[in-house]
Amino acid sequence: AIQHRLWPEIEKTVQIQVSMAKMGIGECGSGWQLFAEDGEMKMYRREEEVDGMVVDPLKAVHIVKGITGHEVCHHFFNPQYRYDWETTLEHMTVLETISEDTLVFLQTHKRIWPASQRDGLFWSHIRKLPNEKDRDGPDIWTVVNNSTDHPDYPPNNGKCVRVFLTVCLLCQTTVDPPKEGTSLTRDNLSCKITYCSVVNPGGWAPASVLRAVYKREYPKFLKRFTAYVKNQTKNKPIMF
Ligand SMILES: O=S(=O)(CCO)c1ccc(-c2ccc(C3CCCC3)c([C@H]3C[C@H]3c3ccccn3)c2)cc1
């Protein structure tokens, strides 16, 4: 197949992001502070600024029962579900369908006072990865989102400030085998979700405001998104 212009960047970014997502918090370099915890969900951030702007990297780990990594990534990647779970979204369009596993999105997020409204333009790629720990075990699934350019939508030419983001959702499914002679049900499934994101707000916004927004929005986002996937899949056949 002919190679798309973004393919080399996608390949490299996915490898880097997946290897970073696989690292434990300890290995990931120091400075991670736990800033939110809710049951199995733990959220860490590092306080970092670039040109005086808050770009705090975020790493969240969550363990959710009853769903698979494929189901989580499927609902995160596909545009048709996004308005159901992404509450800060004002508008979303797919600018380009590079392939069935690679899309280019343009999204505007609801304005967060006193910051000006933001939009994001990024490629999104979904991929199944071999399970290196357990060759017979379920595959690992990932979605990587990374800011990119598009000739028709240059940054900051309308009402929105363009954010620059890199996001990696990495999902590892675990199956606890059912008792002899009983069939596999969703009670035998659990999924370890690692969500990493770095969002550069693109234009100045008060650090205190941004950190308050992140502290409120990220836990809400991950809880709402995982609850959405559980609800969407509970009466459907398991998608491995
Ligand atoms: O995981 S994704 O790819 C899912 C596709 O939508 C993703 C996630 C988050 C963002 C995003 C973009 C802008 C902002 C801010 C920056 C200054 C003012 C708006 C925030 C901050 C507000 C925080 C936030 C955290 C989680 C969810 C939404 N909102 C987040 C974009 C994409």
Side-chain angles (χ1 to χ4, degrees):
I2 39 141
Q3 234 196 33
H4 186 274
R5 74 184 191 302
L6 285 173
W7 195 246
E9 176 189 321
I10 291 169
E11 198 55 44
K12 186 159 178 49
T13 307
V14 168
Q15 272 160 24
I16 292 168
Q17 290 303 316
V18 165
S19 60
M20 282 171 45
K22 283 181 173 177
M23 287 184 210
I25 282 294
E27 310 160 73
C28 240
S30 60
W32 289 100
Q33 49 177 274
L34 181 67
F35 78 91
E37 201 166 355
D38 183 317
E40 291 295 327
M41 182 180 79
K42 291 181 172 55
M43 284 211 157
Y44 305 84
R45 74 167 171 211
R46 270 212 316 265
E47 297 211 352
E48 275 179 28
E49 300 194 4
V50 168
D51 306 333
M53 285 187 297
V54 166
V55 292
D56 299 357
L58 177 113
K59 184 164 185 152
V61 182
H62 196 5
I63 296 176
V64 183
K65 296 191 74 59
I67 52 180
T68 66
H70 188 185
E71 291 168 339
V72 172
C73 288
H74 172 80
H75 288 88
F76 186 77
F77 174 74
N78 282 282
Q80 69 260 34
Y81 307 112
R82 195 156 298 178
Y83 284 113
D84 297 345
W85 54 265
E86 176 61 288
T87 53
T88 68
L89 209 52
E90 184 178 85
H91 191 246
M92 169 201 64
T93 45
V94 175
L95 296 181
E96 209 176 332
T97 300
I98 293 176
S99 59
E100 61 176 9
D101 60 11
T102 309
L103 304 173
V104 178
F105 287 96
L106 176 62
Q107 302 191 156
T108 55
H109 288 261
K110 288 172 184 150
R111 181 164 179 258
I112 294 168
W113 186 87
S116 41
Q117 188 171 28
R118 256 67 183 182
D119 66 5
L121 199 161
F122 55 91
W123 54 257
S124 182
H125 177 72
I126 186 169
R127 184 178 299 185
K128 178 170 71 172
L129 301 160
N131 180 337
E132 285 145 3
K133 288 202 187 95
D134 168 8
R135 306 203 63 77
D136 306 332
D139 296 308
I140 295 175
W141 279 84
T142 188
V143 175
V144 178
N145 295 346
N146 193 51
S147 287
T148 190
D149 300 319
H150 189 285
D152 308 346
Y153 300 91
N156 312 329
N157 79 326
K159 58 182 163 63
C160 291
V161 171
R162 177 69 47 88
V163 299
F164 296 93
L165 60 88
T166 302
V167 165
C168 177
L169 180 73
L170 184 79
C171 299
Q172 172 69 66
T173 309
T174 305
V175 177
D176 300 318
K179 280 190 287 302
E180 275 298 299
T182 63
S183 60
L184 189 75
T185 72
R186 288 189 176 278
D187 293 340
N188 306 116
L189 298 176
S190 86
C191 183
K192 180 182 177 190
I193 299 171
T194 302
Y195 176 86
C196 301
S197 98
V198 180
V199 174
N200 182 323
W204 189 80
S208 55
V209 166
L210 276 182
R211 288 197 166 117
V213 166
Y214 290 173
K215 193 170 171 72
R216 183 184 71 231
E217 290 297 335
Y218 276 115
K220 193 168 83 177
F221 150 71
L222 198 55
K223 279 177 64 181
R224 178 184 172 94
F225 171 65
T226 51
Y228 173 76
V229 177
K230 277 181 77 99
N231 194 39
Q232 285 289 100
T233 55
K234 60 179 189 266
N235 300 322
K236 293 196 181 96
I238 299 170
M239 202 161 96
F240 280 105

